[in-house]
Amino acid sequence: MTTILDVCRLANVSKATVSRVLSGNRKVKEDTRDVVMRAVEQLNYRPNQLAQSLATKVSNTVGVLTNGLTDSQLGQVLRQLDSALWGQGRSFILANGVDGAASLADKLSFLASRHCDAILLLGKNYDHRWFDDLDVSDLPPLLTMNQTLDEIDGVQFDQALTAELACNYLYSHGHTQIAVLLESGSGGEQMLQGYRHALENRSLPFNRQMVAQHADGATAISMLINRYIPFTAVLVPDDHQAIEVIRTLAQYNIQVPQEVSVISLMTGIEGERYTPAITGFEVPEEKMLQSLLRLLDDVIKGGGEGGSDVTREFMGKLIIRQSVRTME
Amino acid sequence: MTTILDVCRLANVSKATVSRVLSGNRKVKEDTRDVVMRAVEQLNYRPNQLAQSLATKVSNTVGVLTNGLTDSQLGQVLRQLDSALWGQGRSFILANGVDGAASLADKLSFLASRHCDAILLLGKNYDHRWFDDLDVSDLPPLLTMNQTLDEIDGVQFDQALTAELACNYLYSHGHTQIAVLLESGSGGEQMLQGYRHALENRSLPFNRQMVAQHADGATAISMLINRYIPFTAVLVPDDHQAIEVIRTLAQYNIQVPQEVSVISLMTGIEGERYTPAITGFEVPEEKMLQSLLRLLDDVIKGGGEGGSDVTREFMGKLIIRQSVRTME
DNA sequence: TTGTACGCGTTATCAT
DNA sequence: ATGATAACGCGTACAA
C-alpha cells in the first residue's frame, strides 16, 4: 500500500501538509494543495484508517450486537445500517447471538478491543441479569433499541401507550370485557400499565382475573378460560401468541373473531399471513432505527452530553385486518 | 482504556514481556507469566486491535461486498459469516449494493483503507465490465462466490454441469423435446454448454430454435412459442423465470406440468411456495460459503500461494416437486 | 529469559 | 503557510 510518505516524496512536501490537505482542517496555499492532490490521485492514495484511528482515537466504526432476530429481520436491519453509515464514512462490526452473561461480556469486550465508537444493542431476548455485573466503564457508549434496559440510552417501543391504544380501539368497537395476556418479560408491566390506564380513563373497574401472564400463549389463554370469566376480546403481545391463542380457542369451539376478538400489540408478516389475518399494531422499526442512528451521531460527535431532539419513544401503528369484529 | 503500559507498571515488566505473554509466541518464565496474567485480569486489559493491526499488518478483518441479495439471504449469509469468523477472532465489514464501476471501486477502496485481510464478493448481478479497468494491485485479495468473474479466485456454482443434470433428469422421464431459456448474464453460456453436452451424450441433434435468451421469462417463453416448435419441457435459470413462464403458458392455455414440464436451475423458497411447486436444483449455499471461508483462511494464512484442497465447483441438488411430469 | 529501541501510518503540537 | 517531531498502542529484532 502507498503511504503518506509516498505522497510526500512525490509532492515535495511534509507529512503535515499532506495531512492538512486531505483533512481540510487548516489552510494551505492553492498551489501546494493542487500539487498534493495530483500526487494523491496519481498514486491512488487512501489514508490508512487504522493509523488514523490510532492517532485520533476515532475509529468511525460502530459495533452492532444482535440477538433473537430472524434472517430476514437481520438482513433488513443490517442493510439499513449499511446504507446509513456508508454515507457518513462509517462502517459496522457485527456480533450476533448472545446466550449468557459471559457471552455478552465477551462480545462487548471484542467490540471494545476493536475500538468501536459506540455499540448498538439490537433485537430481542436480552436478559436483564446479563447486564447486572457488567463493567460498562471501559466500554464504548451503549445504545439500545426496543429494549427496556435501564441505564442504557436508546429508543424504545412504548408498549404501555400502544396497549392503551389497543384497548381504546376495542372499546370503540363495542368491546367492554377485555382480557389481556402479558408479555413474560419486562414488557408485561408496561402492557399492564397501559391496560389499566385505558380502564381508568373509562372509569371501569380493574379485574385481575382478566389478566394472565405466561411465555406460552396457549397456556395463558387456557388459564383465562378456566376462570370462567366472560370476555369478548383479548390483547396479546405479538402475532406468535395471537396465533397460539386463536388455535387454542378453536379447541374450545370459540371462533375468532365471531365470538372473541384478538388484537396483537406487535404485528408483522406472521400475522398478515395467518387466517384470520391478525389486527394489531406495527412496530415502526425503520423509523426507530433512523432515530437510533441520529442518537448515535450525537453520541459520537457530542462525545459528552450534547442531548439533541431525537424521538425516543415510539408507538405502534394500527393495522386493521380480520381478527377484531365490531359488537352490535 | 487501559493500555499495555498499565499492565507493565502493575507487573513490573517491560512491554515486550507482556506482549510475549499474551501472544504466546516466545517463552517466558512461569513466575513472570503469572504476574502478568494477574495484572491483565485485574485491569481487564484487552490489546488495542487497531494498534496490533498497524504493527503486524494483519487486521483480522474481512471485507464483505454484497449485491442483489434479498433481506433474508443477506441475513442468512451474514449470520453464517459472523459465527464462522467469530471462532477465529475475526470480524467483517459490510459494503452492500453496487450500482456501477465507480461504486464498485469506491466500496473496494473503502474496504482497502480499512485494511481488510481479504474481500469477499457475494451475491448476484455484478457486471463484468465493472471489473475491466479496476486496479486490483493495491487491494486486498479478492474472493468470489457464485460469480463467474475470471481472474478472481473463489467458489462457483457449476451451471453447466447442473444444466446437464437437469436435461438428463428430463430425458429419464421421457422428455426428448427440451427447450431452454438462458440466463441473460454470463451464466447463459454455461447453461447452453451443459445443455449441448447432454444432447451430445445422447447423440441428439442440437436445434437452436429450442433456445431463447431474455432477462424477462415471459418474453423468452413467448419467443419460443411463436416459433411453433413443439417441446414438452423447458429448462429455466431460476424460480422467478419459472413462474413467469408458467403464467405465460397459462395464457396460451398450456398447463404445467400436464402439457409442458418446467425445471428450474436454481430453485429456492419461491419455487417451493408456488403452485405448482417447482422442481429444480438447489444451490448448496451453506456448503459453498464454508468452502469459501476455508479458501479465505488459506489466503490469509498462506499469504502467498499455499493452495490447499478446497472444493471450488458445486452442483445443484435435485429437489423433486410438481412442475415436471413423467411422459408415458 | 528479559529489556531497549525502533517501526507501523497517521494526526497534532509546536516552532519556523 | 509549512516543516520537524512527538504522540497513538503495539510487535519485534536486537542487545543484554
Side-chain angles (χ1 to χ4, degrees), chain A residues 93-231:
Chain A
I93 293 182
L94 177 67
N96 178 58
V98 184
D99 56 2
S103 164
L104 175 71
D106 259 18
K107 308 256 180 184
L108 291 179
S109 182
F110 179 79
L111 294 175
S113 76
R114 280 274 204 283
H115 274 233
C116 299
D117 298 328
I119 297 182
L120 266 33
L121 267 53
L122 307 181
K124 308 184 299 181
N125 304 341
Y126 292 90
D127 193 318
H128 295 69
R129 291 166 297 183
W130 299 343
F131 294 83
D132 284 345
D133 39 38
L134 184 69
D135 185 14
V136 80
S137 66
D138 56 353
L139 286 181
L142 261 40
L143 252 40
T144 80
M145 168 169 156
N146 214 352
Q147 289 293 124
T148 40
L149 293 170
D150 300 338
E151 327 206 359
I152 299 188
D153 202 4
V155 302
Q156 295 189 358
F157 179 66
D158 194 330
Q159 297 195 48
L161 182 53
T162 306
E164 190 177 338
L165 292 177
C167 292
N168 287 340
Y169 175 72
L170 292 172
Y171 287 133
S172 70
H173 283 250
H175 295 274
T176 49
Q177 313 272 60
I178 303 176
V180 56
L181 267 40
L182 302 182
E183 187 181 68
S184 55
S186 68
E189 301 164 25
Q190 290 193 48
M191 284 183 70
L192 185 58
Q193 183 187 326
Y195 175 77
R196 297 193 68 154
H197 204 255
L199 246 49
E200 287 166 16
N201 280 349
R202 308 238 165 191
S203 305
L204 292 172
F206 170 68
N207 179 356
R208 92 164 6 127
Q209 296 293 311
M210 292 291 256
V211 7
Q213 183 168 30
H214 198 282
D216 177 45
T219 306
I221 191 69
S222 295
M223 290 164 59
L224 221 53
I225 293 173
N226 290 328
R227 292 180 193 153
Y228 294 99
I229 311 285
F231 56 89

Side-chain angles (χ1 to χ4, degrees), chain A residues 16-310:
Chain A
T17 303
V18 176
S19 178
R20 282 192 270 257
V21 169
L22 268 62
S23 68
N25 287 344
R26 308 258 172 218
K27 283 288 171 195
V28 289
K29 199 163 58 182
E30 277 282 322
D31 304 351
T32 55
R33 144 170 262 116
D34 289 349
V35 176
V36 169
M37 287 306 286
R38 240 188 300 279
V40 165
E41 289 175 15
Q42 182 175 340
L43 295 174
N44 192 24
Y45 165 73
R46 277 275 212 158
N48 181 337
Q49 287 226 34
L50 272 48
Q52 267 182 327
S53 304
L54 191 60
T56 59
K57 294 181 170 301
V58 175
S59 67
N60 282 314
T61 299
V62 344
V64 177
L65 188 62
T66 58
N67 196 42
L69 295 180
T70 66
D71 281 342
S72 70
Q73 290 172 326
L74 185 64
Q76 188 184 339
V77 168
L78 296 186
R79 151 170 295 126
Q80 280 186 62
L81 269 174
D82 174 82
S83 78
L85 292 179
W86 172 261
Q88 314 171 355
R90 290 198 244 268
S91 58
F92 68 84
I93 293 182
L94 177 67
N96 178 58
V98 184
D99 56 2
S103 164
L104 175 71
D106 259 18
K107 308 256 180 184
L108 291 179
S109 182
F110 179 79
L111 294 175
S113 76
R114 280 274 204 283
H115 274 233
C116 299
D117 298 328
I119 297 182
L120 266 33
L121 267 53
L122 307 181
K124 308 184 299 181
N125 304 341
Y126 292 90
D127 193 318
H128 295 69
R129 291 166 297 183
W130 299 343
F131 294 83
D132 284 345
D133 39 38
L134 184 69
D135 185 14
V136 80
S137 66
D138 56 353
L139 286 181
L142 261 40
L143 252 40
T144 80
M145 168 169 156
N146 214 352
Q147 289 293 124
T148 40
L149 293 170
D150 300 338
E151 327 206 359
I152 299 188
D153 202 4
V155 302
Q156 295 189 358
F157 179 66
D158 194 330
Q159 297 195 48
L161 182 53
T162 306
E164 190 177 338
L165 292 177
C167 292
N168 287 340
Y169 175 72
L170 292 172
Y171 287 133
S172 70
H173 283 250
H175 295 274
T176 49
Q177 313 272 60
I178 303 176
V180 56
L181 267 40
L182 302 182
E183 187 181 68
S184 55
S186 68
E189 301 164 25
Q190 290 193 48
M191 284 183 70
L192 185 58
Q193 183 187 326
Y195 175 77
R196 297 193 68 154
H197 204 255
L199 246 49
E200 287 166 16
N201 280 349
R202 308 238 165 191
S203 305
L204 292 172
F206 170 68
N207 179 356
R208 92 164 6 127
Q209 296 293 311
M210 292 291 256
V211 7
Q213 183 168 30
H214 198 282
D216 177 45
T219 306
I221 191 69
S222 295
M223 290 164 59
L224 221 53
I225 293 173
N226 290 328
R227 292 180 193 153
Y228 294 99
I229 311 285
F231 56 89
T232 65
V234 51
L235 168 63
V236 303
D238 55 38
D239 289 341
H240 190 68
Q241 292 230 6
I243 292 172
E244 288 181 329
V245 163
I246 294 175
R247 286 206 180 122
T248 307
L249 286 172
Q251 291 173 5
Y252 287 87
N253 274 324
I254 302 177
Q255 301 292 320
V256 173
Q258 289 80 358
E259 298 169 70
V260 165
S261 292
V262 172
I263 191 165
S264 165
L265 199 65
M266 296 166 62
T267 189
I269 196 149
E270 210 180 345
E272 181 181 346
R273 297 211 173 132
Y274 194 69
T275 307
I278 292 162
T279 290
F281 292 79
E282 221 173 38
V283 179
E285 303 184 36
E286 200 163 326
K287 280 187 186 172
M288 289 179 68
L289 192 56
Q290 296 304 329
S291 249
L292 185 64
L293 287 174
R294 294 198 46 199
L295 205 54
L296 174 72
D297 229 45
D298 292 348
V299 169
I300 294 179
K301 281 181 181 155
E305 317 295 325
S308 94
D309 59 340
V310 180

Side-chain angles (χ1 to χ4, degrees), chain B residues 6 23 44 49 70 76-78 85 108 118 125 142 168 186 232 241 247 259 274 282 284 294 298 312 317:
Chain B
D6 300 317
S23 68
N44 192 24
Q49 287 224 37
T70 65
Q76 188 183 340
V77 167
L78 296 185
L85 292 179
L108 291 179
N125 305 342
L142 261 39
N168 288 340
S186 68
T232 65
Q241 291 230 4
R247 286 205 180 124
E259 297 167 70
Y274 194 69
E282 221 174 38
R294 296 197 46 201
D298 292 349
R312 286 150 188 261
K317 180 190 169 193

Side-chain angles (χ1 to χ4, degrees), chain B residues 171-190:
Chain B
Y171 287 133
S172 71
H173 281 251
H175 294 274
T176 50
Q177 313 272 59
I178 305 175
V180 55
L181 267 41
L182 302 183
E183 188 180 67
S184 56
S186 68
E189 301 164 24
Q190 289 192 47

